Amino acid sequence: MRFLCLPGAYGSSDKFQVQLAPIIKELTEDGTATFHFINGPCKASPPEGFEEYFGKPPYFRFIEPDEDVEKTDDDDVLSRIRDFPDCETPEDTMRELMREGVATSHRSTDNALKYLVDIMEQRGPFEGIIGYSEGATVAGTLLLHEQRRAMKKGIKPMFKYAIFFAGWPPVDPETHAMVLSDETDAMIEIPTCHIIGSLDPYVHGCLALYNVCDPDTAYLFDHAKGHTLPRDKDTVRELGDVVREAIKLYDIHV
């Protein structure tokens, strides 16, 4: 299986390869998978106080506030992660996070989708997609875009499997609204694997993403840590087995 890999906000293709290194080793040694890493299309600067957390530059994002919006420090949704809400349900938490005052990113989302479709056409095909954090949100949005395009234009979707690390819900590619399970019937239809950390302060975002995927083929994998990628040997081996089993179970040709 060949995966297209989307890093998190303020990450890069090089940093994501380092973060995923144990999993890459697990899935390449037996020929299960290969990986193609990309940067986000937008150059970025981390929020003040987070520079050391994201390592050395360069930094990239897939989504940023639209340029024609008069911004304040609180406009960018990522600036609100310092005070991430904790409501009764994952969907309520995400609604509170996106409360009035968040700058739109409609143009940026459209540009990100075009950027990814171009990569699919030029560097594909890919059978799977992997996204971490913001990369998972964008991957989910791309999968919805593929589903809509198939329905309206008859273009067969490329991706057959998705792995989401610490992701948040996708954005509707047409309305640009966050897709939440208690507001819409929209659903990511391909098999998915959701790697979450029960200690992740943003775990409600991960669960809201899980809730908009097909419950019959969505697999929840808890590595019991925070907003990180699993690296210990036993956990990585277990995750590798989950991926191999999914390929076999859903007859995903590689």
Side-chain angles (χ1 to χ4, degrees):
M1 173 177 287
R2 187 165 185 245
F3 283 101
L4 177 63
C5 303
L6 281 55
Y10 312 116
S12 67
S13 60
D14 291 342
K15 292 172 188 174
F16 199 25
Q17 287 184 64
V18 173
Q19 291 171 309
L20 270 184
I23 296 166
I24 294 172
K25 184 175 185 292
E26 173 71 23
L27 294 176
T28 55
E29 285 188 339
D30 65 358
T32 295
T34 60
F35 302 84
H36 179 72
F37 290 83
I38 62 172
N39 292 319
C42 308
K43 291 186 177 181
S45 298
E48 185 177 352
F50 279 75
E51 294 86 354
E52 291 187 6
Y53 177 82
F54 293 105
K56 296 180 179 180
Y59 309 107
F60 299 94
R61 289 177 62 175
F62 287 93
I63 304 296
E64 61 183 1
D66 288 337
E67 293 180 356
D68 57 353
V69 177
E70 184 177 351
K71 304 177 181 67
T72 68
D73 289 341
D74 202 36
D75 282 340
D76 188 343
V77 65
L78 292 187
S79 71
R80 298 186 175 184
I81 62 175
R82 299 181 182 91
D83 300 304
F84 198 79
D86 183 16
C87 300
E88 185 173 352
T89 69
E91 290 71 29
D92 285 343
T93 296
M94 299 314 294
R95 273 188 288 269
E96 175 62 19
L97 181 71
M98 300 299 293
R99 68 187 187 277
E100 185 178 356
V102 172
T104 63
S105 55
H106 300 172
R107 187 179 300 109
S108 179
T109 300
D110 292 341
N111 289 341
L113 289 175
K114 183 179 185 302
Y115 171 75
L116 292 171
V117 169
D118 287 345
I119 289 174
M120 292 161 60
E121 293 174 349
Q122 296 170 16
R123 305 302 297 271
F126 303 98
E127 291 81 29
I129 189 166
I130 293 176
Y132 169 52
S133 198
E134 182 191 61
T137 297
V138 175
T141 304
L142 178 62
L143 294 174
L144 291 178
H145 172 72
E146 279 206 300
Q147 291 173 196
R148 302 279 176 82
R149 192 172 63 169
M151 182 175 59
K152 294 182 177 181
K153 299 182 179 180
I155 301 174
K156 186 178 180 180
M158 180 179 291
F159 298 108
K160 303 175 180 66
Y161 186 60
I163 299 177
F164 299 126
F165 290 93
W168 291 0
V171 173
D172 188 293
E174 297 174 355
T175 68
H176 298 100
M178 181 174 284
V179 178
L180 298 173
S181 63
D182 60 357
E183 295 181 352
T184 177
D185 293 329
M187 179 185 296
I188 294 172
E189 298 171 353
I190 66 170
T192 55
C193 180
H194 302 254
I195 296 89
I196 71 168
S198 53
L199 300 181
D200 185 349
Y202 319 126
V203 69
H204 268 195
C206 308
L207 295 175
L209 171 57
Y210 174 79
N211 288 343
V212 294
C213 294
D214 185 343
D216 292 330
T217 58
Y219 188 95
L220 195 63
F221 184 100
D222 181 8
H223 60 82
K225 294 186 178 180
H227 194 74
T228 58
L229 284 78
R231 297 185 65 87
D232 69 90
K233 186 175 181 180
D234 290 341
T235 303
V236 168
R237 183 184 299 113
E238 183 181 353
L239 178 56
D241 288 341
V242 168
V243 174
R244 286 184 282 266
E245 180 62 25
I247 291 173
K248 179 181 178 181
L249 179 63
Y250 300 115
D251 192 25
I252 301 172
H253 299 290
V254 300

